[in-house]
Structures are given as C-alpha cells and as structure tokens.
Amino acid sequence: MENVIRIPGNPIAMQRCRKSKFTNKMYNPQKKEKTGLRWLVASQWQNKPIEGAVYLQVTFTIPMPRSWSEKRRQEADGKPHASKPDSDNLEKFLNDLLSGIVFLDDCQVSDTLIRKRWGKEGSTVLKIKPVTDSFFSNFPPIL
C-alpha cells in the first residue's frame, strides 16, 4: 500500500515557539498555517492512521527566485537545493502536520528519504508506506 499526498505552495520549515512581549506567554507562530494544511492533508488521506512503523519519501520543491534569468532558471530546474530552509526543519513541520492524520505519532517514522529541489513552483510531494518485514528486501545492506 503506497499513498501519495501533494501539498501545493512553498514548503514550510518548523519555527521555534515564541514568547509574547505583552502577555509573556509562549505561542506557536505557525498555528494558522498548520491548521489549514492539516485540512488539506486530511482531505487527501482517506485511511485510518497507520499504527506501525512508517516510511516517508518526501520531495520539497523550492521555487526559484524571480530575479533569476530564464537561462539560470532552466539550468537549476530539478537540481538539488543546497541552501536554507534546512531539510530537517522542513521535515519537522511535515511530521507535526501528519501526526494524528497519517500516523498516530511522528515517532513512528522509522525511515525517511528527503529531497530538496529547485522548481518553477513550490510544492511538497509525499509517498507514505507502512514498514513491513518484506519492506527492506529491496534495500542493500547497511555496512
């Protein structure tokens, strides 16, 4: 069973919680973004949350700056993106987003393949698979 979820728009990196200078309380600056995207993910995920270990294959497509020339855009399209945002912060936000919808808790994610690429438009594409005994038969042994 392989499921694909597509999230249009620029990938979002996890931010730290902040402290309000007026009320002195902590708050999450990404609460609204996360709520909207959780609705989008839930509309694409028609199954119950996966209960066992989970494998995620994620491709984050970062939009190229408008200031780049057409030639530079053509050269960079699909190439690896090696600058901010960091892939681990993108992954943290995504795992938080998927918790409770795709899997019960983000601690279930046992294996991940993450790609950051340049593209004309920003997007996030996920392939989600439950990990089974036969899952690793196609992978080379780890030395």
Side-chain angles (χ1 to χ4, degrees), residues 3-8 39-47:
N3 296 288
V4 177
I5 294 177
R6 297 178 197 289
I7 303 172
W39 279 99
L40 179 69
V41 169
S43 71
Q44 294 182 46
W45 184 262
Q46 302 300 318
N47 306 319

Side-chain angles (χ1 to χ4, degrees), residues 92-105:
K92 283 181 214 172
F93 183 83
L94 188 64
N95 284 344
D96 254 11
L97 188 68
L98 301 176
S99 287
I101 299 172
V102 174
F103 38 78
L104 299 173
D105 190 50

Side-chain angles (χ1 to χ4, degrees), residues 46 66 112 132:
Q46 302 300 318
R66 291 182 182 176
T112 311
T132 60

Side-chain angles (χ1 to χ4, degrees), residues 13-19 26-30:
M14 183 70 136
Q15 295 178 8
R16 293 182 183 195
C17 287
R18 297 194 179 145
K19 191 173 187 178
M26 299 297 285
Y27 70 96
N28 181 352
Q30 295 177 306

Side-chain angles (χ1 to χ4, degrees), residues 49-105:
I50 298 171
E51 292 186 8
V54 177
Y55 168 75
L56 288 179
Q57 182 177 327
V58 186
T59 302
F60 295 107
T61 304
I62 312 293
M64 293 177 268
R66 291 182 182 176
S67 61
W68 284 9
S69 67
E70 190 60 36
K71 181 181 176 183
R72 186 171 180 191
R73 287 172 174 255
Q74 288 175 353
E75 290 171 356
D77 195 20
K79 297 280 190 325
H81 179 277
S83 57
K84 291 192 176 197
D86 299 344
S87 61
D88 59 331
N89 289 331
L90 292 167
E91 181 187 11
K92 283 181 214 172
F93 183 83
L94 188 64
N95 284 344
D96 254 11
L97 188 68
L98 301 176
S99 287
I101 299 172
V102 174
F103 38 78
L104 299 173
D105 190 50

Side-chain angles (χ1 to χ4, degrees), residues 24-35:
N24 220 17
K25 293 182 180 180
M26 299 297 285
Y27 70 96
N28 181 352
Q30 295 177 306
K31 187 175 181 180
K32 287 182 182 178
E33 293 170 319
K34 198 174 288 185
T35 302

